[in-house]
């Protein structure tokens, strides 16, 4: 929701800046409309064309990398849960309790919205998996080895869980967004200065403002992969739950 509001405000600001300078140009004094003034304004516009483009590209690349990294870690986490269940099965009936708690955790994680948030219930269930796993006792060396493997996989799953939780909270600093919008506003204002006042030019400015606002919206949405309309699928955890139930 925040990304939508920000995108709408940016669209209105950029489009308004271009249309405003276009509208007031004819009302300015003659010395404000001279060729020298127009040349100076165009030079300022040229100066600010490169920097916003570079910053937008870097921000888009960072958001895409964040989205891909969290998606990869979510798949790794779901795989660790499946491997944990597979390592518990050879331990026999004594491992039924950890497996039951593991399934309860996965089902609770799927109910969380988003699944990356630090929900006390789901975190307690995950801790209970580790507690019940540590309570197991074996005399057979082979089962002890399997038990140690299960504990190792559990620790790896917990580590992976917190890795993608921390990554999913990524966001861009507000001053950075403000600076970018300031540059873009100045650029649009200078482009509208002394531009022809016709439907083609106005439509072009509106379309450009809409596309830039859409790009910033995508950047903000992809930096938070577990919220908004552009979010990761919970299919990996659904598949993990299906495997554990077998």
């Amino acid at each position: 929701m925040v990304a939508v509001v920000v995108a709408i405000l940016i669209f209105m600001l950029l489009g308004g800046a271009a249309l405003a300078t276009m509208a007031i140009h004819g009302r300015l004094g003659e010395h404000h409309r001279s060729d020298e003034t127009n040349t100076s304004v165009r030079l300022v516009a040229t100066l600010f064309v490169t920097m916003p483009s570079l910053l937008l590209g870097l921000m888009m690349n960072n958001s895409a990398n964040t989205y891909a990294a969290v998606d990869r870690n979510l798949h790794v986490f779901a795989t660790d849960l499946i491997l944990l269940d597979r390592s518990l099965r050879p331990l026999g009936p004594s491992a039924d309790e950890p497996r039951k708690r593991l399934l309860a955790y996965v089902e609770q994680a799927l109910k969380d919205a988003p699944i990356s948030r630090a929900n006390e219930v789901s975190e307690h269930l995950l801790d209970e998996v580790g507690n019940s796993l540590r309570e197991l006792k074996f005399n057979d060396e082979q089962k002890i080895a399997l038990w140690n493997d299960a504990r190792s996989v559990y620790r790896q799953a917990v580590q992976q869980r917190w890795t993608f939780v921390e990554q999913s909270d990524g966001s861009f600093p507000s001053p950075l967004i403000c600076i970018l919008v300031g540059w873009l506003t100045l650029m649009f204002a200078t482009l509208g200065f002394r531009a022809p006042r016709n439907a083609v030019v106005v439509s072009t400015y509106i379309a450009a403002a809409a596309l830039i606002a859409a790009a910033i919206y995508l950047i903000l949405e992809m930096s938070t992969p577990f919220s908004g309309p552009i979010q990761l699928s919970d299919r990996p955890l659904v598949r993990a739950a299906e495997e554990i139930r077998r």
Side-chain angles (χ1 to χ4, degrees), residues 61-96:
N61 182 67
N62 183 75
S63 294
N65 289 339
T66 298
Y67 191 89
V70 176
D71 180 58
R72 180 174 59 253
N73 289 331
L74 178 59
H75 280 79
V76 172
F77 175 62
T79 302
D80 287 341
L81 296 178
I82 295 174
L83 291 177
L84 177 57
D85 178 69
R86 291 292 185 272
S87 62
L88 289 172
R89 291 188 181 188
L91 296 178
S94 58
D96 287 346

Side-chain angles (χ1 to χ4, degrees), residues 167-214:
Q167 287 178 326
S168 64
D169 291 333
S171 60
F172 290 96
S174 298
L176 183 62
I177 300 294
C178 292
I179 290 174
L180 174 62
V181 174
W183 287 348
L184 291 170
T185 302
L186 180 60
M187 186 177 69
F188 269 72
T190 55
L191 290 175
F193 190 79
R194 206 177 180 180
R197 300 171 64 179
N198 56 59
V200 174
V201 174
V202 172
S203 299
T204 300
Y205 287 157
I206 292 177
L211 290 173
I212 290 177

